[in-house]
Amino acid sequence: MSLTLTDITLTYPDGENRLTALDQVGLEVPGGSLTAVVGPSGSGKSSLLAVAATLITPEAGTVTIDGTSTTGLTRGELAELRRRKIGIVFQQPNLLPSLTAAEQLQVMARIDGRRPRTVRSRALELLDAVGLAGQADRHPHRLSGGQRQRVNIARALMNDPTVLLIDEPTSALDHERGAAVIGLIARLTHQRATATVLVTHDHTHLTAVDRIAEVHDGRLRLPAPARRNSGP
Ligand code: ADP
Ligand code: MG
């Protein structure tokens, strides 16, 4: 289980010119480890996640997931890869107002012959893992901001991804709840052996992560040497 970005360059159209959002970015994230990518607004963090998630194809460079390059895959193959291997937590939870917490997870399940009962029990197990065992049948309006973010994270784990990509998970939370969410992400990463990337502009409460990389103007700077926590 791993995620590798090799020499990624991504530009966007910008009037007559092009704006370089990612400039020869390289990053290797082994399974079971959590890398935080920190940088100011506009530095390229969301672009990096979108490339890692195979939602945007960069001009140059390679995204490799579990040892397989995604270069040259068709749109359909990429969609299938995302569904099977990649959990994405966007900045906005985008929970459906009409569904309970458990149902938000259940609608993610692959239609591959799994019986509804199995899907339901997996949803409940994941809600339990994020500390929401008692909230499974609540709708989003009856959950706090922190609880909604936990549902968002649990939902991304529904298909047992090998890569977990999380965008600014603490931006709407106070300090204490932000720290708890980062701690939760670290614990889930170690327990479920996901290769996890968490991007944030917020340097605080990053004590639980295994490694912090910095991005400025699309250039990624990795720390040396990488530090790894000693497992769960
Ligand atoms: P961050 O998530 O760190 O705030 P982004 O990856 O969203 O940074 O953006 C990086 C740079 O790319 C910024 O200058 C932003 O304005 C620009 N950008 C992002 N998305 C687009 C887009 N779809 N079209 C044009 N420029 C974009
Ligand atoms: Mg962003």
Side-chain angles (χ1 to χ4, degrees), residues 50-191:
V51 168
T54 75
L55 292 167
I56 304 180
T57 304
E59 270 82 355
T62 312
V63 177
T64 305
I65 290 172
D66 289 349
T68 304
S69 165
T70 63
T71 304
L73 296 186
T74 65
R75 288 164 68 96
E77 287 166 341
L78 288 175
E80 175 66 10
L81 176 84
R82 281 195 296 276
R83 217 154 51 81
R84 299 176 63 91
K85 299 227 166 186
I86 305 177
I88 308 173
V89 180
F90 291 108
Q91 212 163 336
Q92 299 303 324
N94 291 323
L95 299 179
L96 299 165
S98 61
L99 300 186
T100 65
E103 288 165 350
Q104 312 279 346
L105 274 61
Q106 287 166 232
V107 297
M108 292 295 292
R110 276 186 261 151
I111 323 273
D112 63 356
R114 280 205 251 176
R115 271 180 277 126
R117 187 187 287 272
T118 317
V119 172
R120 168 87 184 167
S121 63
R122 173 147 182 84
L124 295 179
E125 179 236 319
L126 283 168
L127 288 173
D128 189 22
V130 300
L132 292 179
Q135 276 75 39
D137 295 320
R138 290 200 174 188
H139 290 83
H141 72 273
R142 295 192 54 222
L143 299 171
S144 70
Q147 289 173 332
R148 284 198 285 269
Q149 189 57 287
R150 285 164 188 270
V151 173
N152 198 16
I153 292 164
R155 182 174 57 179
L157 293 169
M158 194 62 190
N159 288 336
D160 221 0
T162 63
V163 172
L164 185 58
L165 304 169
I166 309 181
D167 200 350
E168 308 259 11
T170 62
S171 54
L173 305 179
D174 64 29
H175 182 80
E176 197 177 324
R177 289 192 177 85
V181 163
I182 305 278
L184 170 67
I185 290 165
R187 182 164 56 74
L188 292 169
T189 295
H190 298 144
Q191 283 172 352

Side-chain angles (χ1 to χ4, degrees), residues 12-13 19 21 40-47:
Y12 294 113
L19 180 150
S41 179
S43 57
K45 304 183 298 296
S46 294
S47 299

